[in-house]
Amino acid sequence: MASNTFDINMIQAFYKSYAQKTNDAKRFLNRPLTLSEKILYAHLSEVNNIKDFARATDYVNFSPDRVAMQDATAQMALLQLMNSGRTRVAVPSTVHCDHLIQAFKSAKEDLHTAEITNKEVYDFLSAVSDKYGIGFWKPGAGIIHQVVLENYAFPGGMMIGTDSHTPNAGGLGMIAIGVGGADAVDVMAGMPWELKMPKIIGVKLTGKLSGWASPKDVILKLAGILTVKGGTNTVIEYFGEGTASLSATGKATICNMGAEVGATTSIFPYDQKASEYLKATGRADVAAMADKIIEYLQPDVEVVSDPQKYFDQVIEIDLSTLEPYINGPFTPDAAHPISEFAKVVREKGYPQRMEVGLIGSCTNSSYEDMSRAASVIADAKDKNIKVKAQFIINPGSEQVRYTAERDGILSTFEEAGATIMANACGPCIGQWKRETENPDRPNSIVTSFNRNFAKRNDGNPNTHAFVTSPEIVAVLSIAGNLCFNPMTDTLSNEKGEMVKLQEPKGYELPPKGYENDDNGFVAPSADGSEREIKIAPDSQRLQELKPFSAWDDKDIIEQPLLIKAKGKCTTDHISMAGPWLRFRGHLDNISDNMLIGAVNAFNDKTNAVLDTETGEYISVPKLARQFKAAGLGSIVVAEENYGEGSSREHAAMEPRFLNVKAILVKSFARIHETNLKKQGMLALTFINKDDYNKIREDDKISILGLTHFKPGKNLVVELEHSDGTKESFEVAHTYNDIQIEWFKAGSALNYMKSKQI
């Protein structure tokens, strides 16, 4: 009987050689291996070039099994692919239309609006996918990571995706890493993909969840321990007997939010729960193959028994004592157990009234999430308690939505006043047309999402967004009060009775199985070579990419400061989402949002930087364009973890397009540093972080030593102040030989094309 599993031939070939590759690595290294190491070493692009790669030091070339792209980032990735010289992708690849659908009225109306307003982009993505052999998931099919989990993720595999929450697939034992579009092009073009060998944090789970606690609370607690940059350049590998009790989708939730601590990826061992999920989603053949080599899809027993010896850091979490967490506002690592949260709300003066509860996103939109949250709503109805807050639901995929509708879950939400939005990201990424009577009024919302930066969800800096589990979103929506704790508190019902809500109940997998009548997938043509891709010259949504210019073989001399950013500067600050998503395929247009959210250290304002010619403060993009028109570059300076957040490479391409010469910071987030390198930018860090304070608003900045640019050799920054004085200091970089070649060529894509000639 023929298999319906996507890319089954690739998966079969993978499992045929995986055990042997793992054994070879183990024999060469002469030590037990973590699960992460087994998968990484099995995916070396040069299988005969095994060495004991130094974690957090050595750059390694890998050969991922597949690529996944969401529609916002896919535009730029595919525009680059069109310039690569390829006629067809080298590995199975997919595009998922989930980011461009704005949540406003309801699923049907919003999807219809999206199909009209985004038609040009959807047609482009569909045409390029057909031409190059890429699977295309139509608008409404679902959120990329939920669709990948249901259809493509497989134990032991390696995938890259143009979205920072690609690690969601770690719930099925896959190494899945968020990258920029240029990385995706490398893999789709059949080139080796480079990654610094990550450190490995082992998180030992003991006990078993109960009551109001959920898998989401594991990562919310861990975020408080590690902070938003504590996982940088690491894999978070979960192990211990506690892992076996968590559902596959629950594990995916935990892996998904590893992005919030900066982790390269996160992963769980393959087990019975994962096998059951594969079978439930129509992939019994994959489960059968994985079951036969299960010991290769788990860490070695010596690693589990003596984790301190094999992991760079070990953290232990007892699931039995874990209580619900609520994280925020304004950063996902402000972690609060619910027993302490009311006190925090009152002490900090956060708006206590909870106005909107939102359930969905790639993090928490599975059938289990929906069923558990619905059980809380149903219990409230039985006890004559009405939902007090606005309530919004985004199912994770058409399969989840269809099944949840069949089983009465969606009607439970709707009867409580909830609005069912499209199977898309929606409010999680700022695609929420929220109507409020006073946008300047401080207010609180609670979501089951992953990120909660200022203005992230609704564009309102006064919105205090808190992240928690779907169950707690449901209960706080019922209470309408941030300070309500369902474990200890009671509510007054319509009859004036004081009642306590029951603990949530749900199903890991639908009792009647999954079902849908149209999954939204469009397979590419067997041969799309004759397919024409047309972009209108006057299009405001799409623009053909022109190669960036190569380095001029000179040091950077006396370039003006563009902005010295203060405090948190995420990719949301550098290249906002929300309404700007419509320009993701048009580099010139979207560059008008460059750094407009960054806080200027000299005046504490956003999008107001000094034009030294006039003495006026103007927008960041306007000043950058003035410099560019005058034949000048500019320099951006910032603080810690610059580029934290989404994988969007626009945050690197916009400065490159507007002739920014270098980004000088105290530290970088991993994906963003790589994105900058791929686009031929200089990514530099202060050796002495206090040197940040030396940079003045009207400085001329030189970067010396580029003519002798080498790995491990510092460069020199020279400041010329307006009073005629000068000072200089050394700055560091992490470029290796190949990355220096990217810089010299003008971008990684330029370098790749030069090697094909």
Side-chain angles (χ1 to χ4, degrees):
M1 181 178 175
S3 170
N4 291 321
T5 300
F6 285 103
D7 309 310
I8 187 61
N9 292 335
M10 177 269 285
I11 297 173
Q12 287 173 336
F14 168 80
Y15 281 127
K16 190 173 181 180
S17 63
Y18 174 69
Q20 184 60 51
K21 288 179 178 178
T22 302
N23 285 334
D24 289 345
K26 190 172 178 180
R27 190 162 42 248
F28 179 87
L29 298 172
N30 194 31
R31 59 175 169 79
L33 300 181
T34 67
L35 172 59
S36 306
E37 289 176 308
K38 290 180 181 181
I39 300 174
L40 289 169
Y41 276 92
H43 285 87
L44 295 176
S45 64
E46 298 176 3
V47 293
N48 297 322
N49 188 28
I50 300 175
K51 59 176 275 192
D52 194 355
F53 295 104
R55 297 178 188 175
T57 299
D58 287 344
Y59 284 91
V60 185
N61 286 329
F62 295 99
S63 294
D65 301 302
R66 64 176 313 112
V67 173
M69 298 165 280
Q70 40 94 336
D71 52 352
T73 50
Q75 295 171 63
M76 201 57 72
L78 296 185
L79 285 165
Q80 291 175 86
L81 178 66
M82 290 166 62
N83 283 341
S84 71
R86 291 287 302 192
T87 57
R88 198 166 182 86
V89 292
V91 301
S93 304
T94 51
V95 167
H96 304 258
C97 296
D98 63 352
H99 272 54
L100 299 179
I101 303 169
Q102 186 180 57
F104 179 36
K105 294 182 177 179
S106 67
K108 185 176 180 180
E109 291 177 273
D110 294 347
L111 184 57
H112 179 66
T113 299
E115 288 171 338
I116 295 171
T117 58
N118 300 316
K119 185 178 188 302
E120 180 184 14
V121 173
Y122 292 149
D123 287 350
F124 168 76
L125 295 175
S126 175
V128 178
S129 295
D130 188 55
K131 181 177 181 66
Y132 290 94
I134 298 168
F136 181 74
W137 290 82
K138 296 185 294 186
I143 303 172
I144 177 173
H145 309 305
Q146 181 67 26
V147 173
V148 165
L149 195 72
E150 292 174 359
N151 296 278
Y152 298 113
F154 64 94
M158 184 181 199
M159 176 180 78
I160 64 168
T162 60
D163 188 279
S164 55
H165 293 98
T166 298
N168 193 78
L172 279 180
M174 189 177 204
I175 287 282
I177 301 173
V179 299
D183 282 348
V185 172
D186 282 354
V187 177
M188 289 190 290
M191 303 284 286
W193 175 64
E194 183 188 72
L195 177 74
K196 186 180 286 187
M197 182 60 82
K199 294 185 291 185
I200 308 174
I201 295 175
V203 178
K204 182 178 182 180
L205 300 182
T206 61
K208 188 175 182 180
L209 293 172
S210 63
W212 287 93
S214 74
K216 181 69 162 277
D217 299 310
V218 174
I219 186 60
L220 293 178
K221 178 181 176 69
L222 189 63
I225 295 170
L226 290 174
T227 77
V228 290
K229 64 179 206 173
T232 303
N233 289 323
T234 69
V235 174
I236 300 176
E237 181 174 324
Y238 294 86
F239 69 100
E241 68 272 17
T243 63
S245 66
L246 300 173
S247 67
T249 53
K251 290 168 182 166
T253 290
I254 295 169
C255 291
N256 178 296
M257 256 195 84
E260 273 56 62
V261 298
T264 300
T265 193
S266 301
I267 192 168
F268 274 85
Y270 178 69
D271 59 16
Q272 184 62 31
K273 296 284 191 182
S275 180
E276 291 169 0
Y277 184 77
L278 286 169
K279 293 170 185 173
T281 51
R283 293 171 288 170
D285 44 5
V286 177
M289 287 185 279
D291 289 344
K292 289 179 181 177
I293 58 166
I294 190 169
E295 69 270 25
Y296 293 95
L297 300 171
Q298 297 178 341
D300 285 335
V301 292
E302 297 93 337
V303 172
V304 175
S305 61
D306 189 9
Q308 299 284 353
K309 187 175 179 180
Y310 301 99
F311 293 111
D312 296 282
Q313 180 182 355
V314 177
I315 298 169
E316 187 166 334
I317 296 176
D318 182 0
L319 301 179
S320 300
T321 61
L322 187 65
E323 64 176 288
Y325 269 71
I326 303 175
N327 288 24
F330 308 130
T331 184
D333 60 352
H336 315 288
I338 198 168
S339 59
E340 300 174 12
F341 186 59
K343 180 182 177 184
V344 172
V345 170
R346 294 186 180 106
E347 287 180 350
K348 300 283 189 180
Y350 299 145
Q352 189 170 328
R353 179 186 162 215
M354 207 285 274
E355 300 190 24
V356 191
L358 302 108
I359 293 176
S361 87
C362 58
T363 318
N364 277 113
S365 55
S366 66
Y367 185 89
E368 181 182 23
D369 293 325
M370 297 289 171
S371 64
R372 281 176 62 86
S375 77
V376 177
I377 299 296
D379 181 50
K381 180 183 178 182
D382 291 344
K383 290 172 177 168
N384 295 308
I385 305 171
K386 290 186 177 179
V387 175
K388 293 184 175 62
Q390 184 184 357
F391 204 24
I392 294 174
I393 310 291
N394 282 81
S397 68
E398 178 56 18
Q399 180 163 269
V400 167
R401 188 212 65 79
Y402 190 97
T403 307
E405 181 179 54
R406 179 200 67 190
D407 294 347
I409 291 172
L410 296 191
S411 62
T412 297
F413 289 133
E414 289 173 317
E415 287 167 9
T419 301
I420 310 299
M421 296 293 188
N423 313 320
C425 304
C428 182
I429 57 163
Q431 283 286 56
W432 179 21
K433 191 175 180 180
R434 184 183 180 191
E435 294 182 317
T436 57
E437 75 286 355
N438 180 8
D440 296 324
R441 174 180 53 78
N443 70 99
S444 292
I445 66 173
V446 179
T447 81
S448 72
F449 305 163
N450 39 51
R451 298 214 164 106
N452 57 353
F453 306 138
K455 300 196 277 188
R456 169 80 179 187
N457 304 129
D458 61 1
N460 183 357
N462 300 300
T463 295
H464 296 62
F466 298 90
V467 175
T468 188
S469 67
E471 300 93 317
I472 300 300
V473 173
V475 80
L476 293 181
S477 298
I478 293 165
N481 183 355
L482 280 185
C483 295
F484 180 75
N485 181 352
M487 299 168 67
T488 57
D489 300 342
T490 57
L491 291 169
S492 176
N493 68 6
E494 298 289 292
K495 299 178 182 179
E497 301 166 333
M498 300 306 295
V499 295
K500 192 173 183 181
L501 293 172
Q502 286 185 353
E503 295 171 351
K505 297 177 182 177
Y507 298 96
E508 293 181 6
L509 300 168
K512 299 178 186 176
Y514 286 107
E515 189 177 348
N516 71 73
D517 58 357
D518 179 8
N519 65 5
F521 176 71
V522 180
S525 300
D527 180 4
S529 57
E530 300 302 314
R531 184 76 184 259
E532 271 194 85
I533 310 298
K534 295 182 179 179
I535 298 174
D538 60 349
S539 172
Q540 295 302 300
R541 297 292 299 270
L542 298 165
Q543 180 186 50
E544 289 187 27
L545 281 179
K546 294 181 180 178
F548 291 129
S549 58
W551 176 52
D552 63 3
D553 297 326
K554 299 176 182 177
D555 285 340
I556 295 169
I557 303 296
E558 296 182 0
Q559 300 296 294
L561 175 72
L562 179 62
I563 185 173
K564 179 177 173 180
K566 174 184 177 182
K568 189 182 281 282
C569 197
T570 71
T571 48
D572 276 2
H573 295 85
I574 306 166
S575 176
M576 288 184 178
W580 290 96
L581 283 172
R582 67 187 185 276
F583 296 133
R584 284 286 178 85
H586 197 295
L587 185 54
D588 195 353
N589 282 349
I590 200 170
S591 292
D592 282 333
N593 81 357
M594 185 188 74
L595 285 160
I596 64 175
V599 177
N600 184 349
F602 297 108
N603 60 11
D604 288 334
K605 294 181 179 179
T606 58
N607 206 24
V609 287
L610 180 65
D611 179 351
T612 56
E613 294 295 316
T614 65
E616 297 178 352
Y617 282 87
I618 61 176
S619 76
V620 183
K622 183 177 180 180
L623 184 58
R625 288 184 187 277
Q626 285 181 190
F627 289 148
K628 183 178 180 180
L632 292 171
S634 59
I635 309 295
V636 170
V637 175
E639 297 201 73
E640 299 282 5
N641 209 26
Y642 181 83
E644 169 195 345
S646 300
S647 65
R648 65 190 67 144
E649 66 184 327
H650 300 78
M653 296 186 79
E654 291 171 33
R656 184 73 169 94
F657 178 73
L658 293 183
N659 212 28
V660 173
K661 296 298 184 182
I663 311 289
L664 173 59
V665 303
K666 293 182 180 180
S667 65
F668 285 103
R670 176 192 63 85
I671 297 177
H672 189 66
E673 184 179 20
T674 300
N675 285 347
L676 289 168
K677 292 177 178 180
K678 286 276 183 175
Q679 300 305 332
M681 289 283 293
L682 265 183
L684 307 174
T685 55
F686 292 101
I687 296 172
N688 178 357
K689 294 181 181 181
D690 289 339
D691 287 338
Y692 168 89
N693 300 320
K694 294 178 179 177
I695 294 168
R696 302 177 191 173
E697 196 168 19
D698 52 0
D699 277 349
K700 299 297 184 192
I701 303 172
S702 299
I703 300 173
L704 311 177
L706 288 174
T707 53
H708 302 286
F709 197 9
K710 293 180 181 178
K713 185 176 182 179
N714 294 337
L715 300 174
V716 174
V717 166
E718 184 176 271
L719 306 177
E720 182 178 333
H721 302 310
S722 57
D723 61 7
T725 61
K726 292 184 178 182
E727 54 187 320
S728 62
F729 50 85
E730 290 192 4
V731 293
H733 67 84
T734 61
Y735 288 74
N736 59 24
D737 287 323
I738 190 71
Q739 292 168 345
I740 290 173
E741 293 303 316
W742 298 345
F743 169 75
K744 290 179 178 178
S747 71
L749 185 59
N750 289 355
Y751 178 74
M752 181 177 74
K753 289 177 70 175
S754 71
K755 291 300 173 183
Q756 294 175 350
I757 297 173

